[in-house]
Amino acid sequence: MTNKTFPVWLCRVVVGVTFVISGLAKTIDLWGFIYKIEQYLAVWQIPVPHGVVFTVATTLAASEFLLGFLLLTGSYKRTCSWLIGLMMAGMLPLTLYIAIANPVADCGCFGDMWVISNTATFIKNVVLTILIIYLIVNNSKVSGLFTTYSQWLVAVIAIIYILVIAIFGYNIQPLVDFRSYPTGTPLGLYAQGGMSDDDPTYVFVYEKDGVAREFSEDSIPDDSWTFVDRIEATPGAEPDQNRYDGMITVYDTDGNEATAEAIGSTGEEVLLLIPDMANTDISSTYLINEINRHVNSRGGRMAAIIASDNEGIDMWRDLSMASYPIFTSEDTSIKEIARGNIAVVYLRDGVIQWKRTLNSIDSEIFDKPEPDTLPSLGFSGKTIMWTLSLFFLGLELFLWILDRSGRAVKLHFSRMNQKK
C-alpha cells in the first residue's frame, strides 16, 4: 500500500463505517427514526402525512447504509463521494442548528443503538465533512475491491439486504431491540413490585441539556429527554430519589394509578398497545376481539393501554366493542415497549415472550386456534438478523472472489499476449 493509498482507504473506512452503522441502526428500528422525524416536524409545526414521513425515513436510512457500504468497498468512487458530500452539506448545518437551538433531545443519527449529545453529533459531522472533502478530491485515484462491471451487483445485494431489514422492522418489530424492554423482560413482575432483593432491578439513564439523570422503570420521562443506557441496580442499595417500582405508569379511566391491574405477573396476558388513536384502523378490531376470545378461553386475559383521554377511550370501546379492560399511559412509554400503530405484546407469568404489530398477525389462525397459536407467533429477531447479515456478507464475498478470479484470468491472458 503506497503513501497515497493509505489515507484514502483510512477515510473510506472511517466515513463508510459511520454511514453503515448509522443507516443500519435507523433501518433496524425504522419506527424509531419515523418518530424522530415527527418530533422535528412537531417542533417546526409542519404537518406531514405519515406516508410521506415513512418514505423519507426509509429512503434516508437505506441511502446512508448503501453509500457507506459502497464507499467501504471502493465502488462508484466518484459518484459515491459526491453523493455523501451532498448529504453532509445538508446534515452539517442541520446538526449545527440542533446543537445551538436544541429543539430535540438528540438528533437520532444512530437511533436508540447509540445516543450521543447534539454537540457531539455536530463535532462528528465536522470531522466527517473534512474526510469527505478529501475523498471527493482523491477517492477516484485509488482502486476499489470490485471492478467496474460488478459494482452494480454490489449495490443491488446491499439494497435488498437493507430493505428486507426495514420491511421486517416496520411491519413486525425491529430485529434488534435497542430499547428498554426487549423480549424476556419481566414486565409484569416489575409492575406488581414483586421482584425480590436477589432479582435484578434496572435504572434508566436519560440526558437533557447535557445533564444525565437516573429514572425508575415507571417514571420514564417525555420526549425531551434522551435515552442513554439501562443499568442493573445493586441489590439492597439505597434507591435514587428518582427511582420507583414498576416498569411504566398505567392509569385507569378515573385517573388512578393501575399499573399492577393492567399488567399481570401470572398466567397468560396479551397487551394491546395503541400510542396514537389517530392512526388506528377500525377494521383491525375483528382480529383484536378474536385474540381476546382465544386468550380468555385459555384462562388468560387481554388489556389495552392507549395514549388517549377518556373521550378517546370511550370512542375506541364503542367502535371496537371491547370487552377487555382499557387503561391509559404516556405515548412515549407505549412506544418504548413496542413499535407500530397497534402493537401486541404476549406475556407469560409477566415476562415478555414476543411483541409484534397487529398487522403482522394473520387473522385466519384465530378462526380455529390451536393450543400453541399464541406461543407460535414468537420469533428470534437476533437470529434472523444474524442469518440475513451472514447471507449478505457471504454473497458479497462470493462476488468479490468471482470478481478477483475474472481479474486473474484477464491478467493471465494479457501476459500471454505480451509474450507472443
Side-chain angles (χ1 to χ4, degrees):
M1 185 175 290
T2 65
N3 291 335
K4 294 182 179 180
T5 304
F6 177 76
V8 170
W9 272 109
L10 180 62
C11 292
R12 284 177 180 175
V13 170
V14 173
V15 177
V17 168
T18 302
F19 268 69
V20 165
I21 294 175
S22 177
L24 187 61
K26 292 187 183 80
T27 311
I28 288 174
D29 186 9
L30 192 58
W31 274 105
F33 189 33
I34 290 171
Y35 294 149
K36 181 59 64 176
I37 293 177
E38 289 176 341
Q39 283 184 26
Y40 284 116
L41 296 175
V43 170
W44 298 330
Q45 297 182 343
I46 303 175
V48 178
H50 176 80
V52 175
V53 178
F54 164 77
T55 302
V56 171
T58 306
T59 302
L60 285 176
S63 297
E64 275 193 67
F65 175 85
L66 178 62
L67 291 174
F69 187 77
L70 292 177
L71 188 65
L72 268 177
T73 59
S75 303
Y76 296 107
K77 296 181 284 292
R78 183 176 288 104
T79 302
C80 187
S81 300
W82 276 104
L83 287 177
I84 291 179
L86 288 174
M87 186 174 290
M88 290 306 301
M91 295 304 298
L92 188 62
L94 176 61
T95 51
L96 174 60
Y97 157 74
I98 295 172
I100 296 174
N102 198 35
V104 294
D106 73 281
C107 74
C109 56
F110 296 107
D112 287 330
M113 183 183 72
W114 182 25
V115 178
I116 59 177
S117 68
N118 291 334
T119 301
T121 299
F122 173 68
I123 295 173
K124 173 200 64 129
N125 285 346
V126 170
V127 174
L128 288 178
T129 301
I130 295 172
L131 298 181
I132 291 167
I133 292 173
Y134 179 84
L135 285 173
I136 290 175
V137 176
N138 298 286
N139 196 36
S140 60
K141 300 176 183 178
V142 178
S143 60
L145 299 179
F146 297 89
T147 54
T148 303
Y149 60 82
S150 62
Q151 290 178 358
W152 70 275
L153 274 175
V154 176
V156 168
I157 294 171
I159 199 65
I160 291 175
Y161 164 75
I162 202 65
L163 287 180
V164 169
I165 291 176
I167 290 170
F168 198 103
Y170 183 81
N171 291 293
I172 304 178
Q173 284 294 298
L175 288 174
V176 183
D177 197 340
F178 302 119
R179 291 157 294 151
S180 306
Y181 314 119
T183 299
T185 300
L187 191 64
L189 294 178
Y190 282 106
Q192 300 289 332
M195 301 297 288
S196 69
D197 291 339
D198 296 329
D199 291 321
T201 58
Y202 293 95
V203 175
F204 299 88
V205 181
Y206 280 76
E207 185 182 60
K208 182 177 181 180
D209 298 331
V211 178
R213 288 178 58 188
E214 291 183 355
F215 289 86
S216 67
E217 295 125 345
D218 72 336
S219 61
I220 302 301
D222 58 31
D223 288 341
S224 65
W225 290 81
T226 303
F227 174 73
V228 177
D229 195 11
R230 182 185 73 164
I231 58 178
E232 185 174 335
T234 304
E238 288 295 323
D240 183 84
Q241 61 178 351
N242 299 305
R243 196 176 302 163
Y244 305 93
D245 293 327
M247 290 293 277
I248 65 171
T249 303
V250 179
Y251 302 92
D252 60 22
T253 53
D254 295 325
N256 301 315
E257 198 275 331
T259 309
E261 182 182 350
I263 305 173
S265 60
T266 58
E268 287 185 314
E269 181 175 14
V270 173
L271 291 180
L272 185 69
L273 306 180
I274 305 178
D276 186 357
M277 287 286 293
N279 293 321
T280 57
D281 184 358
I282 199 64
S283 64
S284 61
T285 58
Y286 170 77
L287 175 57
I288 294 171
N289 292 329
E290 288 297 304
I291 296 175
N292 181 42
R293 276 191 285 269
H294 175 61
V295 71
N296 287 336
S297 70
R298 294 166 55 86
R301 63 191 292 265
M302 173 185 275
I305 303 177
I306 302 176
S308 180
D309 54 18
N310 286 346
E311 182 179 348
I313 291 175
D314 290 339
M315 181 184 70
W316 175 260
R317 183 179 284 111
D318 292 339
L319 292 175
S320 65
M321 296 179 289
S323 60
Y324 43 84
I326 300 177
F327 304 89
T328 66
S329 186
E330 294 292 330
D331 63 331
T332 304
S333 298
I334 294 175
K335 293 173 182 177
E336 185 75 7
I337 296 176
R339 301 303 200 194
N341 290 330
I342 301 180
V344 179
V345 180
Y346 174 57
L347 307 176
R348 189 163 58 236
D349 294 333
V351 179
I352 297 176
Q353 303 299 309
W354 55 257
K355 46 187 176 178
R356 58 195 305 157
T357 61
L358 182 69
N359 291 335
S360 68
I361 301 176
D362 184 3
S363 61
E364 293 183 359
I365 66 174
F366 286 96
D367 291 340
K368 295 181 179 180
E370 302 292 335
D372 64 341
T373 294
L374 280 174
S376 68
L377 293 173
F379 61 92
S380 174
K382 290 184 178 179
T383 300
I384 298 172
M385 184 69 191
W386 274 109
T387 302
L388 289 173
S389 299
L390 291 175
F391 186 66
F392 160 65
L393 294 175
L395 281 178
E396 297 286 11
L397 177 60
F398 179 70
L399 180 60
W400 178 78
I401 293 173
L402 286 180
D403 189 70
R404 284 289 172 178
S405 300
R407 287 184 182 182
V409 171
K410 183 178 180 180
L411 179 63
H412 173 72
F413 279 106
S414 66
R415 288 180 176 177
M416 288 185 63
N417 292 332
Q418 289 177 359
K419 290 180 180 179
K420 292 179 180 180

